[in-house]
Amino acid sequence: MHDLVIECPVHLTESNRAELRLLYADLRDHYARRDARDGTRTTLHFVWSGDLDPDLFGATYADQRHIFTASRPILNSAQNRLQETNRWLSGSAQPNGASLNT
């Protein structure tokens, strides 16, 4: 089985959380079909732009956990001038204690 990484540039705001949930579901379904057909395992890498509000990120991270469950590896990276954060989603709580409240 071949591993693929797909980068998804995204921006998080209060008003686009519902759209992101739809995006997550569409990506889950698309890559589940494609991976089954092609014999691949795709990692989705969400690259967040702008300043991330911790509460909004915690909520969208919880959405990811709910929608993707353990179906595939998910990587979240937030880049700004001060930091880069990587978080793997594997169906278990984050080791750094990010909020999972919705």
Side-chain angles (χ1 to χ4, degrees), residues 17-64:
R17 183 172 171 213
E19 292 171 359
L20 287 172
R21 283 193 295 261
L22 293 173
L23 173 68
Y24 299 152
D26 286 346
L27 290 170
R28 177 201 59 209
D29 297 344
H30 171 76
Y31 286 106
R33 286 188 305 271
R34 196 191 77 174
D35 286 354
R37 181 191 72 216
D38 297 346
T40 56
R41 181 174 180 211
T42 302
T43 298
L44 297 175
H45 179 188
F46 294 98
V47 181
W48 300 94
S49 63
D51 292 327
L52 285 179
D53 177 288
D55 292 331
L56 290 177
F57 182 77
T60 201
Y61 178 77
D63 293 338
Q64 287 178 355

